[in-house]
Amino acid sequence: MTLDRWIALVILLICLAYGYAAFFTMDHLLPPFMQRNPIWPSTFPKVLAVLASLTALVVLLGLEPAPKDKGTPDIDYRRLGDYKIGQALILLGLMVLYALMLRPAGFIIATILFITLSAVTLGERKFHFLVPIAALATGIVWWLVQGVLGIFLRPLPFFLG
Amino acid sequence: MIEGLMLGLSTAFSIQNILMVIGGCLIGTFIGMLPGLGPMSIIAIMIPVAISIGDPSAALILLAGVYYGAIFGGSTSSILLNAPGVAGTVATSFDGYPMARQGKAGKALTIAAIASFAGGSLGAIYLMIFAPALSSVALLFHSAEYFALMVLGLSAIAAFAGSGQVGKAILMTLVGLILATVGEGALFNMPRFTMGLMDLQSGLSFITLAMAMFALPEALFLVLNPARSKTEGGGGKIDNLRITRAEAKAIAPVVGRQSVQGFFIGVLPGAGATIASFLGYAVERNLAPKKEQEEFGKGSVKGLAAPETANNAACTGSFVPLLTLGIPGSGTTAILLGALIALNVTPGPRLMIDEPQIFWSVIISMYLGNLVLLVLNLPLIPYIAKILAVPRNYLIPFILFFTLMGAYIGQNNATELLLLVGLGVCATILRFADYPLAPLLIGFILGRMLEDNFARSMQLYGGIDFIWERPMTLGLLVLAVGLVLLPGFRARRAKARAAGVADGD
């Protein structure tokens, strides 16, 4: 089975779970006065669940004729090993780490580390350029966001205030 | 009108007001380039500055300049980084980014600047001529018509589906609509599908989803395949800023049509630049000959000019209900209304009579603003486009950083970053399997408005009778069906013709 059909299967399962929630778990929370309305909070989700399940089935069962000219894919997922998948996974890990560290480590340290480590992952080794650029960009963005726009960004780690 | 125009000219052309336009456009452009900061947040930030000026005309001129500048800045990040920070510039990335990847970043930015200028300037002319009459037309639109208009917006999916992909495009639209139902709805005020998570109470954020659908997969693709970061032409050298005579000839009718369509959509409260840009793209794709249709999504100049003209014309159009009725048609104009009230100006039918200098100077400043954007930005385009020449080892970390910041600033919540990464991975897998992602975002953007208007119409009419009882609703729905079916019908007719020729018919 091709990847697009696997994805259609996953979406179908999600739609079934969504539909189950819409059909069986939402309406009993409805206050009596709302039950007299022609439309309930579950009405739109019910319609969407049915339509999305049917459309997912169309894709899953391959009922639509395949395109004649598929062209060359951007990335061929069947040959993922030929690409720099390791670098991509490390960068995703760094993004998750950044999300978790942003508050406790503070914006400045977390951001400088994120930019520096991402560039190092991609092969950059000129630290005398990289670290000052990362620090400068971090400082400018922090000043713009906190100073100019007034959106709170804790600059330093929590134990430093 | 001539008297008012002269009054507006004398007010708008004062040194102070010219400086306001220039300053507003510059601030808007630079901050608008940062993903996550749309015109709404920039204008909100600028309100204290505007109020401190004291003069209502100058304040409104400054804020209008910021508004246009931010929309233009949003287009720049859409074209260069595939990171649309504003819903109104999502459609710009469909053809703008492929052009940038083909080494035509300079040309794409030039087309965007010219189309924005034309859309905004023509919109200002329509505003001047039609404002009073249109305000009464806009009032004829009720929730039923808005519902039909949203359906018309969703029918744009046909424009984003390649051959044999309509099923996938519809599925993605429905997934977008499903995602829009997460959180508390405006009408029901009850949390749905939040899985008990407080962070999902207010629903998913548009910026997070837009970044996850466009910017993050693009950055990951650049990592996976380093050859992608080398543009096809020029190798980072920006030398083709000028558009050819043939290109100008191709985009001229697009600009003409989309300035009118975008403006009228902008006049409707609640519709705005987003629907205008998607519909503009869809209509132009459907109107294009078969051969040109295939270029849409791959770097078509028409595909870039259409949403750029439409979104700027819609921005101008959104001033009609604001100035003539005192009704804000979008979040941005709602903030502008707040600023006007703070400046002791009451917008409404009497604004033109009681304070004509404000009304007319704002209209004149719109021409000025668009001209300033063009004059300031055209010479800067080679330098702006150099962003693409930044080495990959630096460009990718910064794209990722700005993507993360865009999502964080929008919600001020670190959970949003984890959502961004999760959704970004899903979007990358969907791209591997050639699922179009634009319909998902369109579904998400229009989903909440669609449900609210549908629910209101159902409650008013006690069922779906509103479809038959309101001719304008029916007309818009028929138009939506036509927009979806037209490409298929044309393809079938072309096939029949080709078969006829082959048979010697």
Side-chain angles (χ1 to χ4, degrees):
Chain A
M1 198 158 80
T2 51
L3 182 63
D4 53 351
R5 289 193 183 182
W6 276 111
I7 290 172
L9 179 64
V10 173
I11 294 176
L12 176 64
L13 294 176
I14 293 170
C15 290
L16 290 176
Y18 178 82
Y20 176 82
F23 277 97
F24 301 108
T25 67
M26 284 173 73
D27 293 338
H28 69 271
L29 296 171
L30 216 57
F33 75 93
M34 278 185 85
Q35 291 180 7
R36 298 165 69 99
N37 282 348
I39 187 160
W40 293 6
S42 63
T43 310
F44 201 57
K46 280 176 188 166
V47 174
L48 290 179
V50 172
L51 287 177
S53 302
L54 290 175
T55 319
L57 270 175
V58 168
V59 180
L60 178 64
L61 301 175
L63 298 180
E64 191 178 29
K68 279 177 196 157
D69 175 28
K70 284 189 92 170
T72 43
D74 280 341
I75 303 273
D76 187 353
Y77 66 88
R78 280 158 295 209
R79 297 188 297 112
L80 266 186
D82 295 355
Y83 302 104
K84 297 190 179 295
I85 186 85
Q87 284 187 0
L89 290 175
I90 293 173
L91 286 178
L92 282 173
L94 285 173
M95 288 175 83
V96 172
L97 206 64
Y98 182 68
L100 299 175
M101 296 297 289
L102 190 58
R103 289 248 164 110
F107 177 76
I108 293 175
I109 293 174
T111 307
I112 294 175
L113 273 177
F114 174 74
I115 295 175
T116 310
L117 291 177
S118 305
V120 169
T121 306
L122 293 167
E124 184 60 43
R125 292 294 177 269
K126 291 176 188 162
F127 290 98
H128 56 289
F129 277 128
L130 180 58
V131 178
I133 287 173
L136 187 69
T138 306
I140 291 172
V141 172
W142 181 79
W143 171 76
L144 196 68
V145 175
Q146 168 97 27
V148 178
L149 306 181
I151 299 167
F152 177 69
L153 271 181
R154 185 202 295 274
L156 300 169
F158 68 97
F159 52 85
L160 291 177
Chain B
M1 193 169 90
I2 301 291
E3 202 179 304
L5 208 59
M6 297 313 288
L7 184 65
L9 279 170
S10 63
T11 314
F13 274 95
S14 70
I15 298 289
Q16 184 199 11
N17 288 346
I18 288 176
L19 286 176
M20 288 294 145
V21 174
I22 295 174
C25 287
L26 273 178
I27 293 167
T29 305
F30 284 108
I31 303 186
M33 272 192 230
L34 283 178
L37 285 174
M40 226 153 77
S41 38
I42 303 169
I43 290 176
I45 291 156
M46 290 300 291
I47 282 181
V49 180
I51 291 173
S52 67
I53 295 166
D55 175 8
S57 305
L60 208 55
I61 285 170
L62 173 76
L63 295 176
V66 171
Y67 189 13
Y68 291 115
I71 296 279
F72 184 80
S75 310
T76 306
S77 54
S78 285
I79 291 170
L80 295 182
L81 305 174
N82 205 18
V86 189
T89 61
V90 168
T92 306
S93 65
F94 298 151
D95 282 287
Y97 185 67
M99 279 183 81
R101 288 207 52 225
Q102 290 160 17
K104 297 178 193 165
K107 183 175 280 196
L109 289 169
T110 307
I111 292 172
I114 292 172
S116 300
F117 168 71
S121 304
L122 289 171
I125 294 174
Y126 306 144
L127 174 66
M128 201 165 72
I129 301 169
F130 301 116
L134 280 178
S135 53
S136 49
V137 174
L139 284 180
L140 292 176
F141 266 66
H142 292 182
S143 48
E145 281 75 29
Y146 281 115
F147 163 71
L149 193 70
M150 305 299 150
V151 175
L152 190 64
L154 283 175
S155 68
I157 52 153
F160 304 111
S163 58
Q165 274 200 316
V166 179
K168 283 182 180 176
I170 294 174
L171 183 59
M172 287 293 97
T173 313
L174 289 164
V175 171
L177 289 169
I178 286 174
L179 290 177
T181 59
V182 175
E184 275 182 14
L187 273 186
F188 304 115
N189 209 11
M190 131 181 196
R192 295 181 296 177
F193 310 108
T194 56
M195 293 169 280
L197 297 172
M198 279 298 286
D199 291 321
L200 287 179
Q201 200 88 352
S202 55
L204 292 164
S205 130
F206 156 73
I207 295 291
T208 305
L209 202 63
M211 295 295 166
M213 292 298 120
F214 291 101
L216 196 55
E218 193 54 48
L220 287 179
F221 271 43
L222 286 176
V223 175
L224 287 167
N225 186 7
R228 283 176 66 88
S229 51
K230 293 181 184 73
T231 49
E232 284 166 27
K237 208 171 140 197
I238 313 299
D239 49 7
N240 57 346
L241 296 177
R242 296 180 69 172
I243 53 173
T244 62
R245 190 184 287 263
E247 284 164 342
K249 218 172 147 186
I251 62 173
V254 175
V255 168
R257 279 191 294 265
Q258 289 314 315
S259 62
V260 178
Q261 184 181 301
F263 177 76
F264 282 97
I265 294 174
V267 169
L268 303 171
T274 310
I275 295 180
S277 62
F278 285 137
L279 265 181
Y281 188 88
V283 165
E284 288 307 328
R285 188 186 181 277
N286 285 344
L287 287 177
K290 180 91 180 91
K291 206 177 163 201
E292 282 182 20
Q293 272 186 15
E294 285 161 14
E295 285 171 26
F296 273 68
K298 295 174 186 162
S300 158
V301 290
K302 284 187 175 179
L304 173 60
E308 271 304 290
T309 309
N311 67 19
N312 266 51
C315 288
T316 313
S318 67
F319 277 81
V320 173
L322 175 72
L323 295 177
T324 57
L325 298 173
I327 299 171
S330 61
T332 314
T333 43
I335 293 175
L336 283 173
L337 176 68
L340 279 173
I341 291 167
L343 286 158
N344 286 328
V345 177
T346 314
R350 291 204 60 83
L351 181 71
M352 264 174 96
I353 303 156
D354 295 342
E355 298 185 88
Q357 78 286 359
I358 295 178
F359 184 85
W360 291 103
S361 63
V362 169
I363 291 178
I364 298 295
S365 78
M366 284 179 184
Y367 295 113
L368 269 182
N370 282 294
L371 193 66
V372 165
L373 273 178
L374 193 72
V375 171
L376 282 182
N377 287 308
L378 275 183
L380 289 178
I381 282 172
Y383 306 101
I384 297 172
K386 281 240 184 271
I387 290 173
L388 293 178
V390 172
R392 175 179 172 272
N393 292 351
Y394 287 85
L395 183 65
I396 293 170
F398 276 101
I399 292 178
L400 293 178
F401 168 56
F402 283 117
T403 305
L404 288 164
M405 281 317 291
Y408 187 78
I409 293 171
Q411 300 288 304
N412 213 353
N413 185 354
T415 314
E416 209 65 30
L417 304 185
L418 296 174
L419 261 175
L420 170 80
V421 176
L423 289 167
V425 171
C426 294
T428 310
I429 295 169
L430 287 169
R431 261 186 76 168
F432 282 151
D434 215 12
Y435 275 85
L437 295 174
L440 190 150
L441 206 58
I442 300 172
F444 180 77
I445 292 168
L446 301 184
R448 185 121 339 157
M449 291 190 273
L450 183 82
E451 187 183 7
D452 287 350
N453 285 299
F454 179 65
R456 254 184 230 121
S457 312
M458 289 278 283
Q459 278 170 345
L460 277 173
Y461 286 81
I464 58 162
D465 290 349
F466 65 90
I467 295 176
W468 324 113
E469 287 181 21
R470 296 192 69 85
M472 204 156 31
T473 306
L474 190 62
L476 284 168
L477 288 174
V478 169
L479 202 64
V481 174
L483 203 60
V484 174
L485 296 182
L486 187 68
F489 170 73
R490 285 176 64 164
R492 208 172 310 141
R493 201 176 56 175
K495 208 172 157 186
R497 265 196 202 146
V501 170
D503 296 343
D505 193 7

